[in-house]
Amino acid sequence: MTATDKIQEAPGEGGATHSASDIDDGNPDFQIFTSLRSDALLLTCPQNHQHSSSPPTPTQFYMLNYHRDRLLAAAQAFNWDHAIRVLSGNNGLAKLDSQLHEHLLSAYGDANYPDPLKVRVEISWPSSLSVTSSPTPTVDSFVLFPHRLYESPMPAPNFPMWRVYVCPNSVPASKWTSHKTTHREVYDRAREQIPTLPQWLITSDATERTEILLQNPDGYVSECSISTPYFFKRGKDEKGKWKGEGRWITPQKEDGGNLGVTRSWALEQGLVTEEAVKANELKLGDPLWISNGVRGWRWGRIDGFVEKCQDWPEIEQI
């Protein structure tokens, strides 16, 4: 379901609308976007309230201020001046919240529609915003706001194992990888490399529980196709033996991964730290967590290494 609205200047935060000649990127042929979760469950999550507005108030939109910040960072990276002014400040956050509720009312007849939805907010240059949505699986609140990342999966019926594969093709770091845009060819191609599951493993949502890791030309893991990965790392003593309790790390931003919503939250909460991850050091069966702004956190394991794709798309370096 879709609703489309013209972005308007937030009161007191804008000036005259800029013409195409005022925008460094001219008239681009792509959109910036973010995908977030709408779920009545979040109205009872105190952790989510502080990410809604100032002052904090209950909201059914998952980590809304982080999603606004993601859109704003992309607009700044691509020099979309008008979108920058519209998205900035408390008024920009309030405007986004309002348009999300307007979409729910238009699409479902209820501005506070309670069922879990994947909501996609897409901004086109210079001044239009579209909202689309579709059903998404139910999750428990601890999946959306974990207190810690465990070394083994937490027992829960809504917490199935994800199969994660490693792609040998490289993706150079650029604005296209740091920010989420509709230039998704390389991610789509990566997902096409995920092996078909054996018939006995296929369930109604089995294909949704697969992911693939990407790496940059230097061989460092950057991200997954639709998620941020987190790896468990222990230190070693002088004899090469594992020591200490270990910690969870996520690829550093310099290696080109998307600066995702849940990644930002996890770093701020101290659940993880940034560190380079060599793709050739990953082993079959290695545990990892993956997360995104719709489903929260999911437990996974390295389930295989795919063949190199011969017709891999190139990414423009900007």
Side-chain angles (χ1 to χ4, degrees):
M1 298 187 178
T2 308
T4 304
D5 299 287
K6 194 76 168 178
I7 299 179
Q8 303 295 330
E9 291 284 0
E13 293 196 16
T17 301
H18 283 200
S19 66
S21 62
D22 295 317
I23 307 297
D24 289 356
D25 281 15
N27 189 8
D29 63 350
F30 66 93
Q31 290 76 44
I32 59 177
F33 75 96
T34 191
S35 296
L36 59 90
R37 184 180 191 87
S38 175
D39 192 336
L41 169 70
L42 291 163
L43 292 169
T44 61
C45 288
Q47 304 99 315
N48 197 54
H49 301 171
Q50 60 185 306
H51 306 306
S52 60
S53 61
S54 181
T57 55
T59 178
Q60 67 189 80
F61 304 121
Y62 184 41
M63 295 189 182
L64 183 58
N65 65 336
Y66 285 96
H67 285 281
R68 186 281 305 273
D69 292 347
R70 165 193 255 183
L71 292 169
L72 180 58
Q76 291 168 337
F78 291 106
N79 301 308
W80 290 12
D81 289 358
H82 181 68
I84 291 170
R85 291 196 305 276
V86 170
L87 291 166
S88 295
N90 290 334
N91 285 343
L93 185 60
K95 180 64 177 178
L96 179 59
D97 178 80
S98 175
Q99 293 196 273
L100 290 171
H101 283 291
E102 287 175 14
H103 166 73
L104 296 182
L105 179 61
S106 173
Y108 303 96
D110 182 352
N112 302 299
Y113 184 72
D115 292 358
L117 297 171
K118 174 183 178 180
V119 181
R120 174 167 165 149
V121 180
E122 189 172 289
I123 298 178
S124 301
W125 182 92
S127 59
S128 64
L129 179 149
S130 65
V131 182
T132 59
S133 59
S134 59
T136 196
T138 299
V139 298
D140 295 311
S141 59
F142 68 80
V143 173
L144 300 175
F145 291 99
H147 295 296
R148 60 171 291 185
L149 301 184
Y150 293 85
E151 292 182 55
S152 58
M154 292 179 284
N158 294 325
F159 217 80
M161 174 75 70
W162 279 59
R163 299 173 182 274
V164 182
Y165 299 87
V166 181
C167 180
N169 296 84
S170 64
V171 183
S174 73
K175 292 181 184 178
W176 303 118
T177 61
S178 295
H179 304 285
K180 205 162 188 178
T181 76
T182 51
H183 280 332
R184 301 282 300 171
E185 295 86 354
V186 69
Y187 301 101
D188 295 339
R189 186 64 56 83
R191 292 198 63 79
E192 291 172 2
Q193 309 311 306
I194 295 175
T196 301
L197 295 177
Q199 190 64 37
W200 62 274
L201 280 175
I202 295 178
T203 61
S204 60
D205 64 344
T207 55
E208 294 186 8
R209 290 189 276 111
T210 56
E211 250 293 18
I212 189 161
L213 287 164
L214 301 171
Q215 57 183 290
N216 65 24
D218 295 323
Y220 291 99
V221 175
S222 54
E223 59 183 322
C224 292
S225 63
I226 56 173
S227 311
T228 296
Y230 309 89
F231 304 90
F232 191 72
K233 182 174 182 179
R234 284 193 180 95
K236 290 184 178 181
D237 61 22
E238 62 278 2
K239 296 181 179 180
K241 293 184 178 181
W242 297 114
K243 66 175 183 179
E245 295 184 353
R247 65 190 186 281
W248 288 94
I249 62 174
T250 193
Q252 55 191 10
K253 65 180 180 180
E254 292 83 1
D255 289 330
N258 192 271
L259 305 179
V261 166
T262 47
R263 177 186 186 277
S264 297
W265 180 83
L267 286 168
E268 289 185 9
Q269 297 298 310
L271 294 178
V272 302
T273 57
E274 284 187 308
E275 194 167 322
V277 179
K278 288 288 287 184
N280 63 8
E281 294 180 357
L282 299 176
K283 296 178 176 60
L284 201 64
D286 279 354
L288 73 162
W289 288 85
I290 56 176
S291 70
N292 68 25
V294 175
R295 293 183 181 233
W297 268 258
R298 292 146 289 158
W299 174 260
R301 70 180 180 203
I302 302 297
D303 212 51
F305 300 82
V306 304
E307 295 291 330
K308 190 169 186 177
C309 178
Q310 298 304 315
D311 57 345
W312 190 250
E314 293 185 4
I315 292 184
E316 178 188 359
Q317 292 297 291
I318 59 172

